[in-house]
Amino acid sequence: MKVAIIGAGIAGLACADRLKASGIEPVLFDKGKRPGGRLSTLQLDDLAWDFGCQLVRAGSPAFAAQVAAWTEAGLLAPWNEGPDGALVGVPGMNALVAAQCAQHDVRFGALVQRIESDGLSWFLSGPDLCEGPFAALVIAIPSEQAAPLLSLHDLDMAREAAAARSRPCWTAMVAFDQPLGGVPAYLQDRGAIAWAARNNSKPGRGAAECWVIQASAEWSQQHLELDRDEVAQQLLSLFAAECGTALPETTFLKAHRWRFALAFGQRGATVWNPRLRLGACGDWCMGPQVEGGWLSGVELADQLIAALSLQSAAREMSSAK
């Protein structure tokens, strides 16, 4: 059996891992050009920035076991200068996603615009894309993007997706020509600045002085449509004010806008229709950050496996008659 998964982030990959372990073949479709998504890392020669998700921490026993496996595999390492218990991808946050993508059939640059079902199988289409049949379909993208696709087939599922929302986040990536002295490795909850971190303080990074500055959700929403260059300059000025000192000369400055960065309003469960064999997962379902996305992917995979097993058993019984 083949199952299509739209989105190759943590949730989609967790679902794919579970399906593959049970003998079901997942095929993932992601509109991005490369692995990463919200765990993206920008690498330019000796400069590097984790400009999406900053770290990983485990709460539940199930996710703690997965984190331990990733750590043993060398994909995660402790960030000793970061918050208590913080782990980061090595050599970048995107390494965690890239390693998992390598274990699956992932189609990058694949924008899915339409999903269709003939009652038995699912089919996907988009620019230069026409794929199917698939025994089931998983939508593992932000709720704002999932809702329109779900609405074509199940309005209740679409309403559940629409009820969960995401806050935006403007992020600036800065490189300085010398170390920024007297400033800790990270700053958190400083008014308009929700987070700032010396990326080169993380393990496996280079020595160049690289900082990631992330604006608060409120500031990001107020300045959502502002020019990227202007945002970068404003965040740099805000950061300088928080540091209380003159900053070294910048050698690189760029801003990135995450429209769907921080999910909230989670219902605590995945969205699943066993009759249609259609489901959705993500951090907007179970809880925020990497752990919430991973848990939702695993939960949906278990529901899907059970449904396909019942379907297979029913077919065998019918054939026997």
Side-chain angles (χ1 to χ4, degrees), residues 280-305:
C281 59
D283 57 1
W284 57 271
C285 294
M286 299 287 289
Q289 306 302 330
V290 175
E291 180 166 10
W294 186 86
L295 288 171
S296 73
V298 169
E299 178 178 290
L300 183 56
D302 288 342
Q303 293 172 312
L304 201 158
I305 291 166

Side-chain angles (χ1 to χ4, degrees), residues 303-314:
Q303 293 172 312
L304 201 158
I305 291 166
L308 292 181
S309 296
L310 287 173
Q311 182 186 66
S312 179

Side-chain angles (χ1 to χ4, degrees), residues 7 52 60 64 74 97 101 119 138 177 199 203 205-206 213 220 225 245 258-259 273-274 285 289 291 299 318:
S60 67
V97 176
C101 284
V138 170
D177 66 353
N199 206 74
R205 277 66 171 175
I213 306 167
S220 298
E225 303 303 334
T245 183
W258 296 101
R259 284 191 179 273
N273 184 323
C285 294
Q289 306 302 330
E291 180 166 10
E299 178 178 290
S318 179

Side-chain angles (χ1 to χ4, degrees), residues 79-261:
W79 180 18
N80 295 327
E81 295 184 54
D84 290 343
L87 297 165
V88 295
V90 180
M93 289 300 294
N94 62 343
L96 190 60
V97 176
Q100 294 178 78
C101 284
Q103 307 301 315
H104 298 288
D105 180 1
V106 183
R107 319 283 176 83
F108 288 106
L111 175 61
V112 177
Q113 294 178 318
R114 187 173 181 82
I115 59 174
E116 299 175 282
S117 174
D118 61 6
L120 297 174
S121 303
W122 284 97
F123 301 85
L124 314 181
S125 59
D128 301 317
L129 176 69
C130 185
E131 297 282 347
F134 297 100
L137 174 60
V138 170
I139 299 176
I141 53 180
S143 58
E144 290 86 350
Q145 298 170 342
L149 291 175
L150 292 169
S151 68
L152 301 173
H153 302 276
D154 188 317
L155 286 176
D156 288 336
M157 295 175 74
R159 291 189 190 99
E160 290 182 12
R165 308 299 298 167
S166 300
R167 298 182 177 95
C169 177
W170 268 113
T171 297
M173 292 163 276
V174 191
F176 297 107
D177 66 353
Q178 58 183 293
L180 178 55
V183 180
Y186 72 96
L187 304 173
Q188 192 170 9
D189 298 329
R190 302 294 184 93
I193 295 180
W195 173 267
R198 179 183 285 112
N199 206 74
N200 48 298
S201 71
K202 298 178 179 179
R205 277 66 171 175
E209 188 77 358
C210 296
W211 280 81
V212 172
I213 306 167
Q214 295 185 321
S216 68
E218 294 75 14
W219 193 95
S220 298
Q221 186 64 59
Q222 292 169 5
H223 300 82
L224 191 60
E225 303 303 334
L226 203 62
D227 177 76
R228 294 172 188 268
D229 293 338
E230 176 63 23
V231 167
Q233 290 292 342
Q234 288 199 32
L235 288 180
L236 184 62
S237 296
L238 290 167
F239 177 63
E242 285 299 324
C243 292
T245 183
L247 300 178
E249 289 295 320
T250 60
T251 60
F252 183 90
L253 179 60
K254 182 179 181 180
H256 179 85
R257 176 178 55 201
W258 296 101
R259 284 191 179 273
F260 310 119

